[in-house]
Amino acid sequence: ILHAGSAETRHLLQNTALGDVWGVGRRLVERLALMGIKSAWELAQANPKEIRRHFSITLERTAQELRGVPCIEMSDLDEARRHIMTSRSFGKLTDNLDEIREAIRQYGQRSAERLRRQNGLAKAVLVFLKTNPHRQDLLPHSPSLVLELPRPTADSREILHAAGNALERIYRKGHLYQKGGVMLLDLIDADRQQLSLLDTPQSDAERQRSQKLMDVMDDLNRKMGRDTVKLGMPTPGAAWHLRCAHRSDRSTTRWDELPKARAL
């Protein structure tokens, strides 16, 4: 057992690189180095208020833990998400329902993928839209709606069906929307689900088919790249696509963005 303030603890922390501390990634290591903090010991001795002001409360808690002050509950590390949300600002303002539907479909699929990665099931889906609150010339409208799913599920098809229904009910023609999102609520562990009398029953065969289909989709997207297999094809150049005018060339991953050499 190591005791805070002991010579053994100090020696261990002095010889522990920052990158080996839980929760301290490469970018944090670089930023901390600019402050002269290069080891776990130096992080432990840093002023907690300064760490919080320049970085975050999470890193402050990590520094306190290194000093022997308990700040992080063990359950916090393994606790599953209480909700999962995918949300983006649109590249351009739009009132086109078809384009917004495509965006909600993409966000719903992303949320469902994250849900399956944590082996969870969702009981409800929330969909929201937002107009630009800083534009005085636009009609304000920020609707949202929660729909319960027929049963706890991680199947993208069922989640997208509910998200589509919610969108149809909150969308209003004439409003230029700036942002949209999908949130999965009332998450439970897939291994501990307990159906209620109000849930729509599902046969074992249907459940197995659903799980196999989602497993195949996730496996292909993991091996072949994101969106190799997806539900619905997005329209190229739709208003909801992110603007990437200042993005650097992706010469290591895109054939059409390889540098071109010319002989003079």
Side-chain angles (χ1 to χ4, degrees):
I1 298 176
L2 294 175
H3 298 281
S6 67
E8 293 84 357
T9 300
R10 177 171 181 168
H11 177 75
L12 177 62
L13 294 179
Q14 287 176 336
N15 290 275
T16 300
L18 275 178
D20 294 331
V21 177
W22 179 86
V24 181
R26 178 178 59 83
R27 292 188 178 182
L28 274 179
V29 170
E30 295 173 353
R31 293 176 60 192
L32 287 166
L34 296 177
M35 298 177 61
I37 301 175
K38 300 179 180 180
S39 69
W41 171 255
E42 292 171 341
L43 177 59
Q45 299 307 304
N47 186 327
K49 293 183 179 180
E50 288 295 310
I51 293 296
R52 180 172 184 173
R53 185 167 68 89
H54 286 94
F55 300 96
S56 66
I57 187 174
T58 302
L59 188 60
E60 179 198 10
R61 290 176 176 175
T62 300
Q64 293 279 30
E65 286 280 341
L66 292 174
R67 300 176 66 175
V69 180
C71 297
I72 304 175
E73 297 291 339
M74 292 301 294
S75 59
D76 291 347
L77 305 181
D78 299 321
E79 186 178 3
R81 297 175 184 269
R82 297 180 184 274
H83 60 263
I84 293 176
M85 182 175 73
T86 303
S87 173
R88 298 286 187 277
S89 293
F90 302 151
K92 296 182 293 185
L93 299 178
T94 180
D95 65 346
N96 188 307
L97 178 58
D98 291 333
E99 291 186 341
I100 297 174
R101 187 183 292 114
E102 289 181 5
I104 295 301
R105 187 168 60 223
Q106 292 295 311
Y107 303 158
Q109 289 185 75
R110 291 283 183 270
S111 295
E113 291 168 0
R114 293 164 60 188
L115 178 64
R116 291 193 292 272
R117 282 201 296 269
Q118 75 172 42
N119 193 35
L121 302 174
K123 292 184 177 181
V125 176
L126 179 148
V127 175
F128 70 88
L129 297 172
K130 288 185 178 181
T131 55
N132 189 334
H134 306 293
R135 291 279 299 270
Q136 301 297 325
D137 57 324
L138 299 179
L139 294 174
H141 192 227
S142 300
S144 64
L145 180 65
V146 176
L147 290 183
E148 291 189 13
L149 293 163
R151 53 183 166 265
T153 185
D155 192 313
S156 295
R157 298 169 300 174
E158 297 184 38
I159 290 172
L160 295 188
H161 180 72
N165 288 340
L167 174 63
E168 298 288 344
R169 294 168 62 175
I170 65 174
Y171 168 81
R172 294 293 181 272
K173 182 68 176 177
H175 292 278
L176 292 175
Y177 294 104
Q178 179 193 37
K179 187 175 184 179
V182 175
M183 183 184 295
L184 305 183
L185 303 171
D186 295 340
L187 308 187
I188 61 173
D189 192 328
D191 298 327
R192 301 178 183 177
Q193 66 167 315
Q194 183 176 358
L195 297 178
S196 73
L197 296 176
L198 301 178
D199 291 331
T200 303
Q202 185 181 35
S203 67
D204 290 337
E206 291 176 332
R207 188 178 301 107
Q208 291 177 8
R209 282 197 298 269
S210 170
Q211 183 173 348
K212 287 181 180 179
L213 177 59
M214 295 300 106
D215 288 345
V216 169
M217 289 180 59
D218 292 340
D219 191 48
L220 288 172
N221 288 329
R222 185 167 51 251
K223 292 179 179 178
M224 307 298 292
R226 174 178 282 187
D227 291 335
T228 298
V229 180
K230 53 182 175 288
L231 302 176
M233 293 295 294
T235 302
W240 62 272
H241 288 292
L242 291 175
R243 289 180 293 181
C244 302
H246 302 290
R247 182 180 59 197
S248 301
D249 289 342
R250 298 167 292 178
S251 55
T252 60
T253 58
R254 301 280 179 170
W255 286 106
D256 57 342
E257 296 183 19
L258 285 173
K260 297 178 177 62
R262 294 181 176 86
L264 298 178

